[in-house]
Amino acid sequence: MESQLRRYTPFRGPFDPCPPVPFKTYVVPPNQFITFQPPDLPQFSLQEALKYGTLWPALFSPYESKCKGGGK
Amino acid sequence: MWIYEKKLQYPVRVGKCDIRMARYLSEQYGGADGELAAALRYMNQRYTIPDKVIGVLNDISTEEFAHLEMIATMIYKLTKDASVCELEEAGLGPHFAAHDHALFYNNASGVPFTAAYIQAKGDPLADLYEDIAAEEKARATYQWLIDMTDDVDLQDSLKFLREREIVHALRFKEAVQIIIDDRNQKRVF
């Protein structure tokens, strides 16, 4: 699932005023690799499906807050 | 016609009194890529799209209204007990001046909703590609909102909504394929 995260290093100029970020990330969700959903894909249990927001593990895209829980 | 079920599509719990988030959440309420824009866009485009994909637009539009209700619940919970001073500290002073504690279709910067956010070109591909873009923009907005709060309960509901955008985008991509393939057409080889 972690493979949905892409990472790149942005350009660093010699005179940048602020400390540089080491890398930037973006998400490529699984819908980018499916043009037409095939029938009979494995399914989550109903409880899991409600929690995850989709019936199919093949469409699930996890996302974690960059803020996390419990204060900064 | 619709049948209303008096419950939310997914539970909305707000675990932290963070009025600031109410303001940011309004980006998904009355913003350009918010749930209202999405629901109205699809509900209107559905009249002039090939028959086979009308249902996709209708169903997704309906679900977007259910999402709108969830966002409204989050904003309402965060602001209902806030004092004027607290609202002002959270940057919602101008909102209070115009709306008291009422919700309104503003984006996070307080700009009121406009139909100019949405489009209906009447061309099935143009419209469906706009819809796919709208879903991906909404997904990104949810990511930034998840990043902005440390309330795990709020994050939970927002993660559900984000996943729905991903599923919707796929459904619109499938609609594009149906339009391209046009399986009605007889082919003679």
Side-chain angles (χ1 to χ4, degrees), chain B residues 26-76:
Chain B
S26 51
E27 189 63 31
Q28 278 295 5
Y29 194 59
D33 309 310
E35 301 292 356
L36 180 70
L40 296 181
R41 179 190 289 116
Y42 311 149
M43 198 59 79
N44 179 61
Q45 288 177 354
R46 95 190 148 150
Y47 292 95
T48 48
I49 204 103
D51 291 0
K52 279 187 196 157
V53 300
I54 291 176
V56 176
L57 289 175
N58 187 61
D59 289 356
I60 296 182
S61 174
T62 302
E63 190 179 335
E64 301 293 5
F65 279 117
H67 295 173
L68 188 70
E69 196 181 23
M70 286 176 62
I71 298 290
T73 305
M74 293 173 194
I75 297 174
Y76 172 70

Side-chain angles (χ1 to χ4, degrees), chain A residues 4 25-38 49-56 59-72, chain B residues 9-11 16 20 136 139 142-144 146-152 155-156 159-160 162-167 169-171 173-175 177-178 181 183:
Chain A
Q4 291 182 20
T25 57
Y26 59 96
V27 179
V28 180
N31 63 8
Q32 297 304 305
F33 305 99
I34 308 171
T35 30
F36 211 104
Q37 185 178 329
L50 174 65
K51 185 176 187 309
Y52 292 136
T54 178
L55 190 52
W56 302 276
L59 267 68
F60 178 57
S61 168
Y63 188 81
E64 288 310 316
S65 175
K66 288 174 185 157
C67 186
K68 300 288 180 190
K72 287 184 200 177
Chain B
Q9 190 192 5
Y10 186 87
K16 187 182 165 194
R20 176 194 62 102
E136 296 296 353
R139 169 185 60 82
Y142 278 123
Q143 288 174 193
W144 315 151
I146 292 167
D147 289 345
M148 290 179 92
T149 180
D150 59 0
D151 177 350
V152 285
Q155 283 176 6
D156 187 55
K159 283 176 187 174
F160 172 87
R162 174 183 171 273
E163 177 64 37
R164 296 311 300 157
E165 308 293 344
I166 292 168
V167 176
L170 177 59
R171 297 294 169 252
K173 283 177 69 181
E174 289 168 349
Q177 288 306 312
I178 291 171
D181 291 346
R183 283 155 205 210

